Amino acid sequence: MSATQPHTTDVLLKAARRAVAGAARVCRYLQSTLDLSAPIRKADESPVTIADFASQAMVVRTLVESLGPIRLVGEESSSHLRNPAHSHALRVALDAVRPHWPGVTTNSFLEALDGGPPSPAPLPTADSPLPSPFWTLDPIDGTKGFLRRQQYSVCLAYVDRGQAVLAALACPNLAQDRSADVAIPDSRGTIYTAAVASPGAIEWTDAGPQTLPRREAAAPPRERPIRICSSVEPSHSSLGRLLAVLRALDRPYELVRLDSQCKYALVARGQADALVRLPGRREVIYHIWDHAPGAAIASAAGCVVSDARGEPLDFGAGASLARNMGVVCAAPWLHGELIRSIQHSNVLPA
Ligand code: AMP
Ligand code: MG
């Protein structure tokens, strides 16, 4: 609890789960109705859709409704939709949220996109340039997966003094069945929640909440192939350097390719053994909303999460993971082996 968010963990968790669940419903609707062949291009050429905006506004609206004013570090903002040239996109977004948000207006929608009504004055600390605590949100992580009608996620975390202390992760197309092919969408989806103050990570499905078993500390037999999550998009990671790291492990391995922070869910629920994100040789910015939610869920399920050098992830350095280099999230028995293999394979930028 804090002066700016006097809420219990249960209240925060419930609000976070409701927020991502409502946003996921709107994303599903828009995924089934939008023309996905022509996404909007941002200034850096990355794609964004009307669903990204609708999802962010829905999450903020639900959090504010439950908790009062919040501080948000979100991936999107209202600037694109405030441009009169994009009034059609704004109308489609409003129509999509209206069934879940009676009385929504253009102003209330755009205000929500920017984080809702002003929150109490920020309290910067010496070690945290971002006022703490705050929420961080990726309204659609894996936009390219969303456009392919495969995996994507709505990712929300509550960050306090550099640590993701609570999270909700909606995976709207991820089958509950661990043996299902992740490339095939299951529109029932799954939601994960976790908080450092309460034990375990919870999986929410049609059947209700279930605490995930903690990831095992003991290694499986060496002949059992390890399963490693990686991106579908070739430009998002260096497959060559990942394979060099995996070969150096001297164990059989399989790659599980899927978009978004659904990768963290797979590792948390034991369907994969690790996700490895090696930093590019070129300057690629890792944002806190791309990792804080998934990392919190996986950690709560007993996984070890660090950067590629084995350092803890620091979500308090700004909107980017400026103090870290890459990400490794793994079952406890595999994490140390992966970090050693990364060191020996010499795949990190000097
Ligand atoms: P994935 O789902 O593994 O494809 O990763 C999705 C994330 O990759 C998005 O959140 C983007 O922020 C990030 N991303 C986008 N372009 C790049 C890139 N060129 N290199 C590394 N990551 C990227
Ligand atoms: Mg993202």
Side-chain angles (χ1 to χ4, degrees), residues 75 138 140-142 261 289-290:
E75 178 162 21
D138 193 339
I140 293 193
D141 186 36
Q261 288 173 65
W289 53 74
D290 285 329

Side-chain angles (χ1 to χ4, degrees), residues 78-263:
S78 68
S79 58
H80 181 86
L81 296 185
R82 284 187 192 275
N83 181 339
H86 304 139
S87 60
H88 173 71
L90 175 59
R91 227 176 9 257
V92 174
L94 280 167
D95 287 346
V97 302
R98 191 166 286 113
H100 312 280
W101 183 348
V104 62
T105 63
T106 299
N107 282 344
S108 59
F109 181 87
L110 293 173
E111 182 184 68
L113 247 179
D114 288 331
S119 63
L123 302 168
T125 61
D127 60 346
S128 168
L130 285 174
S132 191
F134 60 88
W135 294 92
T136 189
L137 170 68
D138 193 339
I140 293 193
D141 186 36
T143 300
K144 290 179 180 165
F146 177 84
L147 296 171
R148 277 189 255 98
R149 297 194 163 81
Q150 292 184 316
Q151 300 304 335
Y152 65 99
S153 46
V154 181
C155 314
L156 177 66
Y158 190 56
V159 177
D160 195 6
R161 282 162 288 174
Q163 197 193 358
V165 293
L166 187 141
L169 177 70
C171 304
N173 279 343
L174 185 63
Q176 183 192 356
D177 176 1
R178 277 59 166 155
S179 63
D181 181 350
V182 293
I184 299 171
D186 180 333
S187 63
R188 284 169 300 181
T190 46
I191 291 179
Y192 298 87
T193 57
V196 292
S198 53
I202 314 287
E203 179 175 61
W204 300 79
T205 65
D206 293 345
Q210 288 274 341
T211 302
L212 294 176
R214 269 188 89 72
R215 285 305 312 249
E216 64 284 11
R222 278 199 88 79
E223 61 275 17
R224 199 271 266 162
I226 53 170
R227 306 192 82 216
I228 307 293
C229 295
S230 68
S231 300
V232 176
E233 293 294 325
S235 66
H236 287 186
S237 58
S238 161
L239 187 58
R241 285 183 295 129
L242 173 61
L243 294 181
V245 169
L246 298 181
R247 278 195 292 268
L249 285 176
D250 199 24
R251 283 176 177 274
Y253 60 83
E254 293 167 1
L255 290 183
V256 188
R257 301 186 75 159
L258 75 164
D259 302 275
S260 86
Q261 288 173 65
C262 291
K263 295 182 201 61

Side-chain angles (χ1 to χ4, degrees), residues 14-39:
K14 190 169 172 201
R17 179 168 55 84
R18 279 187 55 229
V20 299
R25 273 194 291 276
V26 171
C27 291
R28 272 199 195 96
Y29 166 75
L30 283 169
Q31 197 180 41
S32 67
T33 55
L34 280 182
D35 172 8
L36 298 180
S37 61

Side-chain angles (χ1 to χ4, degrees), residues 18-61:
R18 279 187 55 229
V20 299
R25 273 194 291 276
V26 171
C27 291
R28 272 199 195 96
Y29 166 75
L30 283 169
Q31 197 180 41
S32 67
T33 55
L34 280 182
D35 172 8
L36 298 180
S37 61
I40 302 160
R41 295 278 159 192
K42 289 200 264 193
D44 65 357
E45 278 300 299
S46 60
V48 66
T49 70
I50 293 170
D52 292 70
F53 300 120
S55 174
Q56 179 149 324
M58 278 296 293
V59 167
V60 171
R61 190 259 175 171

